[in-house]
């Protein structure tokens, strides 16, 4: 193996390579540490080296060398994923795309960007001409566009534009294959689904073309409630208010807000809270809706003038803040069926109490606003965690299990047959992030 790696290093002369063990180990990890189930399973899983290409030509060179040496390749962005997507199970090359930060062009409504560019950088560039990215995870300052496409599913903005994989939210992808003679493929329209949310098993994304949305002047708002279900129903009503332009509706049951130390002046002890991002022209209509559901606005500030960033307390940043205080806390990812009265949410809220603390994020699915949840779980044992998951599923709640590194066992349940066909074509030797799919392991 040492001889193979030495030959690989020689073949990649001129491209940045990292072999220092502690540095390689660090770049072999992501935020799977949120899961006490994944930590022991992924312990000690590291690459043999890290390669950092600075352009597509270098990516092709890496692909060619890895095919010739039959070395596994695990592509990495910023490592902000939570399921071990970029943790190499079989060593090999960690392909760190963080140097590819170019933005070839931005036009009204669309942008072309390289794989390693950060979402915040795209947003900044797009806003220069009055546009912005449609959606982003709470890690938007550090997450890369290709990492988001390969491992993410939605985020801030999904209340308006749906999920990342919905038709039209990704326009095109440029991908390098791991065939005997690596090719560069341009996938457009529905063909992008062959690569999206595939955890880097279906080719190396080098560029993406994404749609943009109009850049509104946004305001951040905190609304507090004495009753959790009043907070939830307020969130649902606001989500259904199509005339009000919003980017974020996050609902937190007490005691979750207690983990948000910088926000304590705005959230009374024991209260439930809703964090919002609304277009400023919609603010005039907000107090009436808040009053209707018995809430109180405790914080309101234009984003341009803010000292806080409420988005960094939402989605899975909520879990990060909670774990910074109590690292025994883990989380679930749930999708509740459409229900204007949130009866199933209410049942789960009362049934589990503080063992499963309710955190809702509203987003649009097939044209309907529904509550997703990233509940905080007071972890005891894996058996109890699985009981909680099974209870939710038995009641009709869809669980995207964040405690597995296997694609089929997570949110997907099955791999798209079209993705499998594409995989066989672009990665005939199974070198791309091996071990992350039951179907692919069985085929071996």
């Amino acid at each position: 193996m040492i001889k193979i790696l030495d030959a690989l290093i020689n073949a990649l002369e001129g491209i940045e390579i990292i072999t220092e063990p502690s540095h390689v180990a660090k770049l072999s990890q992501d935020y799977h540490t949120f899961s006490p189930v994944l930590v022991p399973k992924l312990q000690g899983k590291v690459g043999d080296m890290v390669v950092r290409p600075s352009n597509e030509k270098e990516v092709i060179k890496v692909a060619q060398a890895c095919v010739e040496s039959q070395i596994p390749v695990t592509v990495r962005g910023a490592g902000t994923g939570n399921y071990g997507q970029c943790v190499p199970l079989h060593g090999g090359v960690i392909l760190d795309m963080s140097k590819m930060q170019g933005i070839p062009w931005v036009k009204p409504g669309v942008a072309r960007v390289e794989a390693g560019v950060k979402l915040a950088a795209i947003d900044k560039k797009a806003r220069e001409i009055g546009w912005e990215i449609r959606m982003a995870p709470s890690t938007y300052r550090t997450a890369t566009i290709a990492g988001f496409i390969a491992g993410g599913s939605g985020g801030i903005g999904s209340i308006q534009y749906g999920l990342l994989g919905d038709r039209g939210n990704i326009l095109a992808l440029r991908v390098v294959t791991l065939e005997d003679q690596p090719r560069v493929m341009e996938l457009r329209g529905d063909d992008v689904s062959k690569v999206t949310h595939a955890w880097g098993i279906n080719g190396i994304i080098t560029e993406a073309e994404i749609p943009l949305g109009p850049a509104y002047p946004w305001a951040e708002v905190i609304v507090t409630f004495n009753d959790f279900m009043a907070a939830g129903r307020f969130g649902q009503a606001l989500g259904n208010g199509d005339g009000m332009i919003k980017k974020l509706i996050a609902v937190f049951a007490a005691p979750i807000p207690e983990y948000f130390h910088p926000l304590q002046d705005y959230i009374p002890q024991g209260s439930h809270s809703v964090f919002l991002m609304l277009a400023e022209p919609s603010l005039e209509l907000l107090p009436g809706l808040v009053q209707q559901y018995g809430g109180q606005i405790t914080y309101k500030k234009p984003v341009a003038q803010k000292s806080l960033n409420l988005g960094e307390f939402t989605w899975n940043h909520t879990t990060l803040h909670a774990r910074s205080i109590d690292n025994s806390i883990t989380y679930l990812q749930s999708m509740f069926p459409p229900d204007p009265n949130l009866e199933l949410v209410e049942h789960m809220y009362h049934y589990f109490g503080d063992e499963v603390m309710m955190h809702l994020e509203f987003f649009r699915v097939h044209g309907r606003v529904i509550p997703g949840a990233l509940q905080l779980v007071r972890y005891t044992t894996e058996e109890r965690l699985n009981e909680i998951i099974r209870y939710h599923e038995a009641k009709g709640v869809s669980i995207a299990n964040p405690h597995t590194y296997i694609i089929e066992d997570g949110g997907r349940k099955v791999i798209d047959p079209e993705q499998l066909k594409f995989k066989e074509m672009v990665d005939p030797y199974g070198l791309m992030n091996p071990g992350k799919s039951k179907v692919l392991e069985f085929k071996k």
Side-chain angles (χ1 to χ4, degrees), residues 210-221:
I210 58 171
L212 303 171
Y216 288 93
W218 297 102
E220 294 185 337
V221 182

Side-chain angles (χ1 to χ4, degrees), residues 255-261 264 321-322 325-326 329 357 376 378:
I256 293 176
E258 294 178 11
Y259 297 120
F260 305 153
H261 283 177
Q264 294 308 298
H321 284 282
I325 295 169
D326 182 355
I329 289 174
M357 296 169 274
L376 299 185
R378 298 188 189 278

Side-chain angles (χ1 to χ4, degrees), residues 319-335:
T319 313
L320 179 67
H321 284 282
R323 285 179 51 79
S324 70
I325 295 169
D326 182 355
N327 65 10
S328 70
I329 289 174
T330 187
Y331 74 113
L332 288 179
Q333 296 179 148
S334 312
M335 185 182 294

Side-chain angles (χ1 to χ4, degrees), residues 29-36 38-39 42-43 81-84 87:
Q29 301 301 305
D30 63 7
Y31 281 84
H32 71 272
T33 50
F34 281 11
S35 168
L38 286 179
V39 168
L42 296 178
Q43 187 173 7
N82 302 111
Y83 329 119
V87 175

Side-chain angles (χ1 to χ4, degrees), residues 68-241:
E68 290 174 356
S69 300
Q70 291 292 285
I71 293 288
V73 179
T74 303
V75 185
R76 175 188 175 86
T80 58
N82 302 111
Y83 329 119
Q85 296 105 310
C86 67
V87 175
L89 299 180
H90 299 286
V93 167
I94 304 295
L95 189 60
D96 183 340
M97 303 294 284
S98 61
K99 288 175 73 172
M100 295 182 60
Q101 298 184 14
I103 301 179
W105 49 261
V106 177
K107 301 175 183 177
V110 62
R112 185 82 177 193
V113 298
E114 290 188 345
V117 66
K118 291 179 171 58
L119 295 166
I122 303 172
D123 218 26
K124 182 179 179 181
K125 189 71 174 177
R127 281 185 162 272
E128 292 176 2
I129 62 168
W131 296 82
E132 65 182 21
I133 56 176
R134 286 186 173 185
M135 69 187 72
S138 57
T139 52
Y140 130 111
R141 293 185 194 226
T142 54
T144 65
I145 183 62
F148 184 37
I149 289 170
S153 58
I156 300 165
S158 287
I159 184 62
Q160 194 75 20
Y161 295 104
L163 297 175
L164 182 60
D166 290 348
R167 180 179 281 116
N169 279 333
I170 302 168
L171 301 178
L173 295 174
R174 193 169 169 90
V175 177
V176 172
T177 72
L178 263 74
E179 300 167 277
D180 287 317
Q181 293 297 322
R183 289 180 290 162
V184 178
M185 302 180 68
E186 177 91 3
L187 304 176
R188 300 199 67 88
D190 289 346
D191 282 344
V192 301
S193 64
K194 296 174 181 178
V195 176
T196 56
H197 204 69
W199 298 14
I201 68 171
N202 275 11
I204 304 164
I205 299 171
T206 58
E207 286 188 7
E209 196 172 302
I210 58 171
L212 303 171
Y216 288 93
W218 297 102
E220 294 185 337
V221 182
I222 296 176
V223 186
T224 61
F225 294 82
N226 292 326
D227 176 70
F228 171 72
M229 288 312 301
R233 292 185 178 111
F234 162 78
Q236 182 76 63
L238 178 58
N240 289 335

